[in-house]
Coordinates of all heavy atoms in Angstrom, one line a residue:
M728 N -54.9 -19.4 -116.4 CA -53.9 -19.7 -115.3 C -52.5 -19.4 -115.9 O -52.2 -19.9 -117.0 CB -54.1 -21.1 -114.8 CG -53.2 -21.3 -113.6 SD -53.8 -22.7 -112.7 CE -54.2 -21.9 -111.2
T729 N -51.7 -18.8 -115.2 CA -50.2 -18.5 -115.6 C -49.4 -19.8 -115.3 O -49.4 -20.4 -114.3 CB -49.7 -17.4 -114.8 OG1 -50.6 -16.3 -114.9 CG2 -48.3 -17.0 -115.2
A730 N -48.6 -20.1 -116.4 CA -47.7 -21.2 -116.2 C -46.6 -20.9 -115.4 O -46.2 -19.7 -115.3 CB -47.2 -21.7 -117.6
E731 N -46.0 -21.8 -114.6 CA -44.9 -21.6 -113.8 C -43.7 -21.0 -114.5 O -43.0 -20.1 -113.9 CB -44.5 -22.8 -113.0 CG -43.5 -22.5 -111.9 CD -43.3 -23.8 -111.1 OE1 -44.2 -24.5 -110.7 OE2 -42.1 -24.1 -110.8
S732 N -43.5 -21.3 -115.7 CA -42.4 -20.8 -116.5 C -42.6 -19.3 -116.9 O -41.6 -18.6 -117.2 CB -42.2 -21.5 -117.8 OG -43.3 -21.5 -118.6
D733 N -43.8 -18.8 -116.8 CA -44.1 -17.4 -117.1 C -44.0 -16.5 -115.9 O -44.2 -15.3 -116.0 CB -45.6 -17.3 -117.7 CG -45.7 -18.0 -119.0 OD1 -44.7 -18.1 -119.7 OD2 -46.8 -18.4 -119.3
M734 N -43.7 -17.1 -114.7 CA -43.6 -16.3 -113.5 C -42.4 -15.5 -113.5 O -41.4 -15.9 -114.1 CB -43.6 -17.2 -112.3 CG -44.9 -18.1 -112.2 SD -46.4 -17.2 -111.9 CE -46.4 -17.1 -110.2
I735 N -42.5 -14.3 -112.9 CA -41.4 -13.3 -112.8 C -40.8 -13.3 -111.4 O -41.6 -13.1 -110.5 CB -41.7 -12.0 -113.3 CG1 -42.3 -12.0 -114.7 CG2 -40.6 -11.0 -113.1 CD1 -42.9 -10.7 -115.2
T736 N -39.6 -13.6 -111.2 CA -38.9 -13.5 -109.9 C -38.3 -12.2 -109.8 O -37.5 -11.8 -110.6 CB -37.9 -14.6 -109.7 OG1 -38.6 -15.9 -109.9 CG2 -37.3 -14.6 -108.3
C737 N -38.5 -11.5 -108.7 CA -37.9 -10.2 -108.4 C -36.4 -10.4 -108.3 O -35.9 -11.3 -107.6 CB -38.4 -9.6 -107.1 SG -37.8 -8.0 -106.8
G738 N -35.6 -9.6 -109.0 CA -34.2 -9.7 -109.0 C -33.5 -8.9 -108.0 O -32.2 -9.0 -107.9
I739 N -34.2 -8.2 -107.1 CA -33.5 -7.5 -106.0 C -33.0 -8.4 -104.9 O -33.8 -9.3 -104.5 CB -34.5 -6.5 -105.3 CG1 -35.1 -5.5 -106.4 CG2 -33.8 -5.7 -104.3 CD1 -34.0 -4.6 -107.1
E740 N -31.8 -8.3 -104.5 CA -31.2 -9.1 -103.6 C -32.0 -9.2 -102.3 O -32.4 -8.2 -101.7 CB -29.8 -8.6 -103.2 CG -29.0 -9.6 -102.3 CD -27.6 -9.1 -102.0 OE1 -27.1 -8.3 -102.8 OE2 -27.1 -9.5 -101.0
G741 N -32.3 -10.4 -101.8 CA -33.1 -10.6 -100.6 C -34.6 -10.6 -100.8 O -35.3 -10.9 -99.9
C742 N -35.1 -10.2 -101.9 CA -36.5 -10.3 -102.2 C -36.9 -11.6 -102.8 O -36.3 -12.1 -103.7 CB -36.9 -9.1 -103.2 SG -38.7 -9.0 -103.4
Q743 N -37.9 -12.2 -102.2 CA -38.4 -13.6 -102.6 C -39.6 -13.5 -103.4 O -40.2 -14.6 -103.7 CB -38.6 -14.4 -101.3 CG -37.4 -14.5 -100.4 CD -36.3 -15.3 -101.0 OE1 -36.5 -16.3 -101.7 NE2 -35.1 -14.8 -100.7
A744 N -40.1 -12.3 -103.9 CA -41.3 -12.2 -104.6 C -41.3 -12.9 -106.0 O -40.4 -12.8 -106.7 CB -41.7 -10.7 -104.8
V745 N -42.4 -13.6 -106.3 CA -42.6 -14.3 -107.5 C -43.9 -13.7 -108.0 O -45.0 -13.8 -107.4 CB -42.6 -15.8 -107.4 CG1 -42.9 -16.4 -108.8 CG2 -41.4 -16.3 -106.8
L746 N -43.9 -13.1 -109.2 CA -45.1 -12.4 -109.8 C -45.6 -13.0 -111.1 O -44.8 -13.6 -111.8 CB -44.7 -11.0 -109.9 CG -44.2 -10.4 -108.5 CD1 -42.9 -9.7 -108.8 CD2 -45.1 -9.6 -107.8
K747 N -46.9 -12.8 -111.3 CA -47.5 -13.4 -112.4 C -47.4 -12.6 -113.8 O -47.6 -13.2 -114.8 CB -49.0 -13.6 -112.1 CG -49.3 -14.5 -110.9 CD -50.7 -14.6 -110.6 CE -51.0 -15.4 -109.4 NZ -52.3 -15.3 -108.9
S748 N -47.1 -11.3 -113.7 CA -47.1 -10.6 -115.0 C -46.1 -9.4 -114.8 O -45.7 -9.1 -113.7 CB -48.4 -10.0 -115.2 OG -48.8 -9.0 -114.3
T749 N -45.8 -8.8 -115.9 CA -44.9 -7.6 -115.9 C -45.5 -6.5 -115.1 O -44.9 -5.8 -114.4 CB -44.6 -7.2 -117.3 OG1 -43.9 -8.3 -118.1 CG2 -43.6 -6.0 -117.3
Q750 N -46.9 -6.3 -115.3 CA -47.6 -5.3 -114.6 C -47.5 -5.5 -113.1 O -47.3 -4.6 -112.3 CB -49.0 -5.2 -115.1 CG -49.8 -4.1 -114.4 CD -51.3 -4.1 -114.9 OE1 -51.7 -4.9 -115.5 NE2 -52.0 -3.0 -114.5
E751 N -47.7 -6.8 -112.7 CA -47.7 -7.1 -111.3 C -46.2 -6.8 -110.7 O -46.1 -6.3 -109.6 CB -48.1 -8.5 -111.0 CG -48.3 -8.9 -109.6 CD -48.8 -10.3 -109.5 OE1 -49.9 -10.6 -110.0 OE2 -48.2 -11.1 -108.7
Y752 N -45.2 -7.2 -111.5 CA -43.8 -6.9 -111.1 C -43.6 -5.4 -110.9 O -43.0 -5.0 -110.0 CB -42.8 -7.5 -112.1 CG -41.4 -7.0 -111.8 CD1 -40.7 -7.7 -110.8 CD2 -40.8 -6.0 -112.5 CE1 -39.4 -7.3 -110.5 CE2 -39.6 -5.6 -112.2 CZ -38.8 -6.3 -111.2 OH -37.5 -5.9 -110.9
E753 N -44.1 -4.6 -111.9 CA -43.8 -3.2 -111.8 C -44.5 -2.6 -110.5 O -43.9 -1.7 -109.9 CB -44.4 -2.5 -113.1 CG -43.5 -2.7 -114.3 CD -44.1 -2.2 -115.6 OE1 -45.2 -1.7 -115.6 OE2 -43.4 -2.4 -116.7
L754 N -45.8 -3.0 -110.2 CA -46.5 -2.6 -109.1 C -45.7 -3.0 -107.8 O -45.5 -2.2 -106.8 CB -47.9 -3.1 -109.1 CG -48.8 -2.6 -110.1 CD1 -50.1 -3.3 -110.1 CD2 -49.1 -1.1 -109.9
H755 N -45.2 -4.2 -107.8 CA -44.4 -4.7 -106.7 C -43.2 -3.8 -106.5 O -42.8 -3.4 -105.4 CB -44.0 -6.2 -106.9 CG -42.8 -6.6 -106.1 ND1 -42.9 -6.9 -104.8 CD2 -41.5 -6.8 -106.5 CE1 -41.7 -7.3 -104.3 NE2 -40.8 -7.2 -105.3
Y756 N -42.5 -3.6 -107.6 CA -41.2 -2.8 -107.5 C -41.4 -1.4 -107.0 O -40.7 -1.0 -106.1 CB -40.5 -2.7 -108.9 CG -39.2 -2.2 -108.9 CD1 -38.0 -2.9 -108.6 CD2 -39.0 -0.8 -109.1 CE1 -36.8 -2.4 -108.6 CE2 -37.7 -0.2 -109.1 CZ -36.6 -1.0 -108.8 OH -35.4 -0.5 -108.8
E757 N -42.5 -0.7 -107.5 CA -42.8 0.6 -107.1 C -43.2 0.7 -105.5 O -42.8 1.5 -104.8 CB -43.9 1.2 -107.9 CG -43.4 1.6 -109.3 CD -44.6 2.1 -110.2 OE1 -45.6 2.6 -109.6 OE2 -44.4 2.1 -111.4
A758 N -43.9 -0.3 -105.1 CA -44.4 -0.4 -103.8 C -43.4 -0.8 -102.8 O -43.4 -0.3 -101.6 CB -45.6 -1.3 -103.7
V759 N -42.4 -1.6 -103.2 CA -41.5 -2.3 -102.2 C -40.0 -1.8 -102.3 O -39.3 -1.7 -101.4 CB -41.6 -3.8 -102.3 CG1 -40.5 -4.5 -101.4 CG2 -42.9 -4.3 -102.1
H760 N -39.7 -1.4 -103.5 CA -38.2 -1.1 -103.7 C -37.8 0.3 -104.1 O -36.7 0.7 -103.8 CB -37.6 -2.1 -104.9 CG -37.8 -3.5 -104.5 ND1 -37.2 -4.1 -103.4 CD2 -38.5 -4.5 -105.1 CE1 -37.5 -5.4 -103.4 NE2 -38.2 -5.6 -104.4
I761 N -38.7 1.1 -104.6 CA -38.4 2.5 -104.9 C -38.4 3.3 -103.6 O -39.3 3.2 -102.8 CB -39.4 3.1 -105.9 CG1 -39.1 2.5 -107.3 CG2 -39.2 4.6 -106.0 CD1 -40.0 3.0 -108.4
N762 N -37.4 4.2 -103.4 CA -37.3 5.1 -102.3 C -37.2 4.3 -101.0 O -37.7 4.7 -99.9 CB -38.5 6.1 -102.2 CG -38.6 6.9 -103.4 OD1 -37.5 7.3 -103.9 ND2 -39.8 7.2 -103.9
R763 N -36.5 3.1 -101.0 CA -36.2 2.4 -99.8 C -34.8 2.7 -99.4 O -33.8 2.7 -100.1 CB -36.3 0.9 -100.1 CG -36.1 0.1 -98.8 CD -36.4 -1.4 -99.0 NE -37.8 -1.6 -99.3 CZ -38.8 -1.7 -98.3 NH1 -38.5 -1.6 -97.0 NH2 -40.0 -1.9 -98.6
C764 N -34.6 2.9 -98.1 CA -33.3 3.3 -97.5 C -32.4 2.0 -97.6 O -32.8 0.9 -97.1 CB -33.4 3.7 -96.1 SG -31.8 4.1 -95.3
S765 N -31.2 2.1 -98.2 CA -30.3 1.0 -98.2 C -29.6 0.7 -96.9 O -29.1 -0.4 -96.8 CB -29.2 1.3 -99.3 OG -28.5 2.5 -98.9
K766 N -29.7 1.5 -95.9 CA -29.1 1.3 -94.6 C -30.1 0.6 -93.7 O -29.6 -0.3 -93.0 CB -28.7 2.6 -94.0 CG -27.8 3.4 -94.9 CD -26.4 2.9 -94.9 CE -25.5 3.9 -95.7 NZ -24.2 3.4 -95.8
C767 N -31.3 1.0 -93.6 CA -32.2 0.5 -92.6 C -33.5 -0.1 -93.2 O -34.4 -0.6 -92.5 CB -32.6 1.5 -91.6 SG -33.6 3.0 -92.3
A768 N -33.7 0.0 -94.5 CA -34.8 -0.6 -95.2 C -36.1 0.1 -95.1 O -37.1 -0.4 -95.5 CB -35.0 -2.1 -95.0
R769 N -36.1 1.3 -94.4 CA -37.4 2.1 -94.3 C -37.7 2.5 -95.8 O -37.0 2.9 -96.6 CB -37.2 3.2 -93.4 CG -37.2 2.8 -92.0 CD -37.2 4.0 -91.1 NE -38.4 4.9 -91.3 CZ -38.5 6.1 -90.7 NH1 -37.5 6.6 -90.0 NH2 -39.6 6.8 -91.0
L770 N -39.1 2.6 -96.0 CA -39.7 3.0 -97.3 C -40.2 4.4 -97.1 O -40.8 4.8 -96.2 CB -40.8 2.0 -97.6 CG -41.4 2.1 -99.0 CD1 -40.3 1.9 -100.1 CD2 -42.5 1.2 -99.2
F771 N -39.9 5.2 -98.2 CA -40.3 6.7 -98.1 C -41.2 7.0 -99.4 O -40.9 6.4 -100.4 CB -39.1 7.6 -98.1 CG -38.3 7.4 -96.7 CD1 -37.4 6.5 -96.6 CD2 -38.7 8.2 -95.7 CE1 -36.8 6.3 -95.4 CE2 -38.1 8.1 -94.5 CZ -37.1 7.1 -94.4
P772 N -42.1 7.9 -99.2 CA -43.0 8.2 -100.3 C -42.4 9.0 -101.5 O -43.0 9.1 -102.5 CB -44.2 9.0 -99.7 CG -43.6 9.6 -98.4 CD -42.5 8.6 -98.0
S773 N -41.2 9.6 -101.2 CA -40.5 10.3 -102.4 C -39.1 10.2 -102.2 O -38.5 10.0 -101.1 CB -41.0 11.8 -102.3 OG -40.4 12.4 -101.2
C774 N -38.4 10.6 -103.3 CA -36.9 10.5 -103.4 C -36.4 11.6 -102.4 O -35.3 11.4 -101.7 CB -36.5 10.8 -104.8 SG -34.7 10.8 -104.9
R775 N -37.0 12.7 -102.4 CA -36.6 13.9 -101.5 C -36.6 13.5 -100.0 O -35.6 13.7 -99.3 CB -37.5 15.1 -101.7 CG -37.1 16.3 -100.8 CD -38.0 17.5 -101.2 NE -37.7 18.6 -100.3 CZ -38.1 18.7 -99.0 NH1 -39.0 17.9 -98.6 NH2 -37.8 19.8 -98.3
L776 N -37.7 12.8 -99.6 CA -37.8 12.4 -98.2 C -36.8 11.3 -97.9 O -36.1 11.2 -96.8 CB -39.2 11.9 -97.8 CG -40.2 13.0 -97.9 CD1 -41.6 12.5 -97.6 CD2 -39.9 14.1 -96.8
L777 N -36.5 10.4 -98.8 CA -35.4 9.4 -98.6 C -34.0 10.1 -98.5 O -33.3 9.7 -97.6 CB -35.4 8.4 -99.8 CG -34.2 7.5 -99.8 CD1 -34.2 6.6 -98.6 CD2 -34.2 6.6 -101.1
S778 N -33.8 11.1 -99.3 CA -32.5 11.8 -99.3 C -32.4 12.5 -97.9 O -31.3 12.4 -97.3 CB -32.4 12.8 -100.4 OG -31.3 13.5 -100.3
L779 N -33.4 13.2 -97.4 CA -33.4 13.8 -96.1 C -33.1 12.8 -95.0 O -32.3 13.0 -94.1 CB -34.7 14.6 -95.8 CG -34.9 15.8 -96.7 CD1 -36.3 16.4 -96.4 CD2 -33.8 16.9 -96.5
H780 N -33.8 11.6 -95.1 CA -33.6 10.6 -94.1 C -32.2 10.1 -94.1 O -31.6 9.9 -93.0 CB -34.6 9.4 -94.4 CG -34.2 8.1 -93.7 ND1 -34.4 8.0 -92.4 CD2 -33.5 7.0 -94.2 CE1 -33.9 6.8 -92.0 NE2 -33.4 6.2 -93.1
L781 N -31.6 9.9 -95.3 CA -30.2 9.4 -95.4 C -29.3 10.4 -94.7 O -28.4 10.0 -93.9 CB -29.8 9.1 -96.8 CG -30.3 7.9 -97.5 CD1 -30.2 7.9 -98.9 CD2 -29.8 6.6 -96.8
D782 N -29.5 11.6 -94.9 CA -28.7 12.7 -94.2 C -28.9 12.7 -92.8 O -27.9 12.6 -92.0 CB -29.0 14.1 -94.8 CG -28.4 14.4 -96.2 OD1 -27.5 13.6 -96.6 OD2 -28.9 15.3 -96.8
E783 N -30.1 12.7 -92.3 CA -30.4 12.9 -90.9 C -30.1 11.7 -90.1 O -29.7 11.8 -88.9 CB -31.8 13.4 -90.8 CG -32.1 14.8 -91.3 CD -33.6 15.2 -91.1 OE1 -34.3 14.6 -90.5 OE2 -33.9 16.3 -91.7
A784 N -30.4 10.5 -90.6 CA -30.2 9.3 -89.8 C -28.9 8.5 -90.0 O -28.6 7.8 -89.1 CB -31.4 8.4 -90.2
H785 N -28.3 8.7 -91.2 CA -27.1 7.9 -91.4 C -25.8 8.6 -91.8 O -24.8 8.0 -92.1 CB -27.5 6.9 -92.5 CG -28.7 6.1 -92.3 ND1 -28.8 5.1 -91.3 CD2 -29.9 6.0 -92.9 CE1 -29.9 4.6 -91.2 NE2 -30.7 5.1 -92.3
S786 N -25.8 9.9 -91.7 CA -24.6 10.7 -92.1 C -23.9 11.2 -90.9 O -24.4 11.9 -90.1 CB -25.0 11.9 -93.0 OG -23.9 12.8 -93.1
G787 N -22.6 10.7 -90.7 CA -21.8 11.2 -89.6 C -21.6 12.7 -89.7 O -21.6 13.4 -88.7
L788 N -21.4 13.2 -90.9 CA -21.1 14.6 -91.1 C -22.4 15.4 -90.6 O -22.3 16.4 -90.0 CB -20.8 15.0 -92.5 CG -20.7 16.5 -92.9 CD1 -19.6 17.1 -92.1 CD2 -20.4 16.7 -94.3
F789 N -23.6 14.9 -91.0 CA -24.8 15.6 -90.6 C -24.9 15.6 -89.1 O -25.3 16.6 -88.5 CB -26.0 14.9 -91.2 CG -27.3 15.7 -90.9 CD1 -27.8 16.6 -91.8 CD2 -28.0 15.4 -89.8 CE1 -28.9 17.3 -91.5 CE2 -29.2 16.1 -89.5 CZ -29.6 17.1 -90.4
A790 N -24.6 14.5 -88.4 CA -24.6 14.5 -86.9 C -23.7 15.5 -86.3 O -24.1 16.2 -85.4 CB -24.2 13.0 -86.4
V791 N -22.6 15.7 -86.9 CA -21.6 16.8 -86.3 C -22.2 18.1 -86.6 O -22.2 18.9 -85.6 CB -20.2 16.6 -87.1 CG1 -19.4 17.8 -86.7 CG2 -19.6 15.3 -86.6
L792 N -22.7 18.4 -87.8 CA -23.3 19.7 -88.0 C -24.5 19.9 -87.1 O -24.7 21.1 -86.7 CB -23.8 19.8 -89.5 CG -22.6 19.8 -90.5 CD1 -23.2 19.7 -91.9 CD2 -21.7 20.9 -90.3
A793 N -25.3 19.0 -86.9 CA -26.5 19.1 -86.0 C -26.1 19.4 -84.6 O -26.7 20.3 -84.0 CB -27.4 17.9 -86.1
A794 N -25.1 18.7 -84.1 CA -24.6 19.0 -82.7 C -24.0 20.4 -82.7 O -24.3 21.1 -81.6 CB -23.5 18.0 -82.4
R795 N -23.3 20.8 -83.7 CA -22.7 22.2 -83.6 C -23.8 23.3 -83.6 O -23.8 24.3 -82.9 CB -21.9 22.4 -84.8 CG -20.5 21.8 -84.7 CD -19.6 22.2 -85.8 NE -18.3 21.6 -85.8 CZ -17.5 21.5 -86.8 NH1 -17.7 22.1 -87.9 NH2 -16.3 20.8 -86.6
A796 N -24.9 23.0 -84.4 CA -26.0 23.9 -84.5 C -26.7 24.0 -83.2 O -27.1 25.1 -82.7 CB -27.0 23.5 -85.6
R797 N -26.9 22.9 -82.5 CA -27.6 22.9 -81.1 C -26.7 23.6 -80.1 O -27.2 24.2 -79.2 CB -27.9 21.4 -80.7 CG -29.1 20.9 -81.5 CD -29.6 19.6 -80.8 NE -28.6 18.6 -80.8 CZ -28.4 17.7 -81.9 NH1 -29.1 17.8 -82.9 NH2 -27.4 16.8 -81.7
E798 N -25.4 23.4 -80.1 CA -24.5 23.9 -79.1 C -24.0 25.3 -79.3 O -23.6 26.0 -78.4 CB -23.3 22.9 -78.9 CG -23.8 21.5 -78.5 CD -22.7 20.5 -78.6 OE1 -21.5 20.9 -79.0 OE2 -23.0 19.3 -78.4
G799 N -24.1 25.7 -80.6 CA -23.5 27.0 -81.0 C -24.4 28.2 -80.6 O -25.4 28.0 -80.1
P800 N -23.9 29.4 -81.0 CA -24.7 30.6 -80.7 C -26.0 30.5 -81.5 O -26.0 30.1 -82.6 CB -23.8 31.7 -81.1 CG -22.8 31.1 -82.0 CD -22.7 29.6 -81.7
K801 N -27.1 31.0 -80.8 CA -28.4 30.9 -81.5 C -28.7 32.3 -82.1 O -29.4 33.1 -81.6 CB -29.4 30.5 -80.4 CG -29.2 29.1 -79.8 CD -30.1 28.8 -78.8 CE -29.8 27.3 -78.3 NZ -30.6 26.8 -77.4
K802 N -28.2 32.4 -83.3 CA -28.4 33.6 -84.1 C -29.9 33.7 -84.6 O -30.5 34.7 -84.3 CB -27.5 33.7 -85.3 CG -26.0 33.6 -85.0 CD -25.2 33.4 -86.2 CE -23.8 33.0 -85.8 NZ -23.1 32.4 -86.9
R803 N -30.3 32.7 -85.2 CA -31.6 32.7 -85.8 C -32.2 31.2 -85.6 O -31.4 30.3 -85.6 CB -31.6 33.0 -87.3 CG -31.2 34.4 -87.6 CD -31.4 34.7 -89.1 NE -31.5 33.6 -90.0 CZ -30.6 33.3 -90.9 NH1 -29.5 33.9 -91.0 NH2 -30.9 32.2 -91.7
K804 N -33.4 31.2 -85.5 CA -34.1 29.8 -85.3 C -33.9 28.9 -86.5 O -34.0 27.7 -86.5 CB -35.5 30.0 -84.9 CG -36.1 28.7 -84.4 CD -37.5 28.9 -83.8 CE -37.9 27.5 -83.2 NZ -38.9 27.7 -82.2
D805 N -33.9 29.6 -87.7 CA -33.9 28.8 -89.0 C -32.5 28.7 -89.6 O -32.4 28.7 -90.8 CB -34.8 29.5 -90.0 CG -34.4 30.9 -90.3 OD1 -33.5 31.5 -89.7 OD2 -34.9 31.5 -91.3
D806 N -31.4 28.6 -88.7 CA -30.1 28.4 -89.3 C -29.5 27.1 -89.1 O -28.3 26.9 -89.3 CB -29.2 29.5 -88.7 CG -29.0 29.3 -87.2 OD1 -29.7 28.4 -86.6 OD2 -28.2 30.0 -86.6
G807 N -30.3 26.0 -88.8 CA -29.8 24.7 -88.6 C -29.8 23.8 -89.8 O -30.1 24.2 -90.9
P808 N -29.3 22.6 -89.6 CA -29.1 21.6 -90.7 C -30.4 20.9 -91.1 O -30.5 20.3 -92.2 CB -28.1 20.7 -90.2 CG -28.4 20.7 -88.7 CD -28.8 22.1 -88.3
Y809 N -31.5 20.9 -90.3 CA -32.7 20.2 -90.6 C -33.5 21.0 -91.5 O -33.7 22.2 -91.4 CB -33.5 19.9 -89.3 CG -32.8 19.0 -88.4 CD1 -32.0 19.4 -87.3 CD2 -32.9 17.6 -88.6 CE1 -31.3 18.5 -86.6 CE2 -32.3 16.7 -87.8 CZ -31.5 17.1 -86.8 OH -30.8 16.3 -85.9
V810 N -34.0 20.3 -92.6 CA -34.8 21.0 -93.6 C -36.3 20.7 -93.4 O -36.6 19.6 -93.0 CB -34.4 20.4 -95.0 CG1 -35.2 21.0 -96.1 CG2 -32.9 20.7 -95.2
C811 N -37.2 21.7 -93.7 CA -38.6 21.4 -93.5 C -39.0 20.3 -94.5 O -38.4 20.2 -95.6 CB -39.3 22.7 -93.9 SG -41.1 22.6 -93.8
L812 N -39.9 19.5 -94.1 CA -40.4 18.3 -94.9 C -41.3 18.7 -95.9 O -41.6 18.0 -96.9 CB -41.0 17.3 -94.0 CG -40.1 16.7 -92.9 CD1 -40.8 15.7 -92.1 CD2 -38.8 16.0 -93.5
V813 N -41.9 19.9 -95.9 CA -42.9 20.4 -96.9 C -42.1 20.8 -98.2 O -41.2 21.6 -98.2 CB -43.7 21.6 -96.3 CG1 -44.6 22.1 -97.5 CG2 -44.4 21.2 -95.2
E814 N -42.5 20.1 -99.3 CA -41.8 20.4 -100.6 C -41.8 21.9 -100.9 O -42.9 22.5 -100.9 CB -42.6 19.6 -101.6 CG -41.8 19.6 -103.0 CD -40.8 18.5 -103.1 OE1 -41.0 17.4 -102.5 OE2 -39.7 18.8 -103.6
G815 N -40.7 22.4 -101.2 CA -40.6 23.8 -101.6 C -40.4 24.8 -100.5 O -40.1 25.9 -100.7
C816 N -40.5 24.3 -99.2 CA -40.3 25.3 -98.1 C -38.9 25.4 -97.8 O -38.1 24.5 -97.7 CB -41.0 24.7 -96.9 SG -40.8 25.8 -95.4
P817 N -38.4 26.7 -97.7 CA -37.0 27.0 -97.5 C -36.5 27.0 -96.1 O -35.4 27.1 -95.8 CB -36.8 28.4 -98.1 CG -38.1 29.0 -97.8 CD -39.2 27.9 -98.0
R818 N -37.4 26.8 -95.2 CA -37.1 26.9 -93.7 C -36.2 25.8 -93.3 O -36.3 24.6 -93.8 CB -38.3 26.9 -92.9 CG -39.2 28.1 -93.1 CD -40.2 28.3 -92.1 NE -39.7 28.5 -90.7 CZ -40.4 28.3 -89.6 NH1 -41.6 28.0 -89.7 NH2 -39.8 28.5 -88.5
R819 N -35.2 26.1 -92.4 CA -34.3 25.1 -91.8 C -34.4 25.2 -90.3 O -34.9 26.3 -89.8 CB -32.9 25.4 -92.3 CG -32.7 25.4 -93.8 CD -31.3 25.6 -94.2 NE -30.5 24.5 -94.0 CZ -30.4 23.4 -94.8 NH1 -31.1 23.4 -95.9 NH2 -29.5 22.5 -94.5
F820 N -34.1 24.2 -89.6 CA -34.2 24.1 -88.1 C -32.9 23.6 -87.4 O -32.2 22.8 -88.1 CB -35.4 23.3 -87.7 CG -36.7 23.7 -88.4 CD1 -37.0 23.1 -89.6 CD2 -37.4 24.7 -87.9 CE1 -38.2 23.4 -90.3 CE2 -38.6 25.1 -88.6 CZ -39.0 24.4 -89.8
R821 N -32.7 24.0 -86.2 CA -31.6 23.4 -85.5 C -32.0 22.1 -84.8 O -31.1 21.3 -84.4 CB -31.2 24.4 -84.3 CG -30.4 25.6 -84.8 CD -29.8 26.4 -83.7 NE -30.7 26.5 -82.6 CZ -31.6 27.5 -82.4 NH1 -31.7 28.4 -83.3 NH2 -32.3 27.6 -81.3
G822 N -33.2 21.8 -84.8 CA -33.7 20.5 -84.2 C -34.5 20.7 -82.9 O -35.1 19.9 -82.4
D823 N -34.5 22.0 -82.4 CA -35.2 22.2 -81.2 C -36.5 23.1 -81.4 O -36.5 24.2 -81.1 CB -34.3 22.9 -80.1 CG -33.7 24.2 -80.7 OD1 -33.8 24.4 -81.9 OD2 -33.0 24.9 -79.9
L824 N -37.4 22.5 -82.1 CA -38.6 23.2 -82.5 C -39.4 23.7 -81.4 O -39.8 23.3 -80.4 CB -39.5 22.3 -83.4 CG -38.8 21.9 -84.7 CD1 -39.7 21.0 -85.5 CD2 -38.6 23.2 -85.6

């Protein structure tokens, strides 16, 4: 049995987790704190998807660019600010798939 003094408290602000081992702490940290949006607390499976989310959901500049792309002349379907979610795919979208 783990002594109370051996317990590890998560140091992330607002997290109340108390863990029994370093391994348990590492698993907790990876599952709960890595790739979490600092604005809305949503969790993402990769750094890339978190970055896209931050741009698309929380960036005022992105919102302006997206509005311009939707309202502007429609030269090509793939000339917008939205990036394909598939890793390595170069396609971009205006938002009206």
Side-chain angles (χ1 to χ4, degrees):
M728 183 162 244
T729 305
E731 191 172 313
S732 63
D733 294 335
M734 302 295 274
I735 299 169
T736 302
C737 182
I739 303 295
E740 185 177 337
C742 185
Q743 305 293 321
V745 178
L746 306 131
K747 297 176 185 173
S748 67
T749 303
Q750 181 180 12
E751 193 174 299
Y752 172 79
E753 289 173 357
L754 291 171
H755 160 78
Y756 187 85
E757 288 177 18
V759 178
H760 300 297
I761 289 183
N762 300 321
R763 182 171 295 276
C764 178
S765 61
K766 307 280 187 189
C767 67
R769 285 186 59 192
L770 189 61
F771 293 87
S773 72
C774 181
R775 178 177 178 277
L776 292 177
L777 171 60
S778 179
L779 291 174
H780 163 77
L781 286 167
D782 284 344
E783 293 177 9
H785 303 296
S786 169
L788 175 60
F789 186 90
V791 169
L792 294 173
R795 283 186 186 167
R797 283 190 301 274
E798 296 165 5
K801 298 180 180 183
K802 300 171 196 161
R803 295 186 344 248
K804 190 169 186 162
D805 63 346
D806 64 353
Y809 293 94
V810 178
C811 181
L812 299 178
V813 176
E814 189 82 39
C816 180
R818 292 190 65 196
R819 300 181 77 81
F820 308 94
R821 285 191 319 271
D823 53 352
L824 296 175

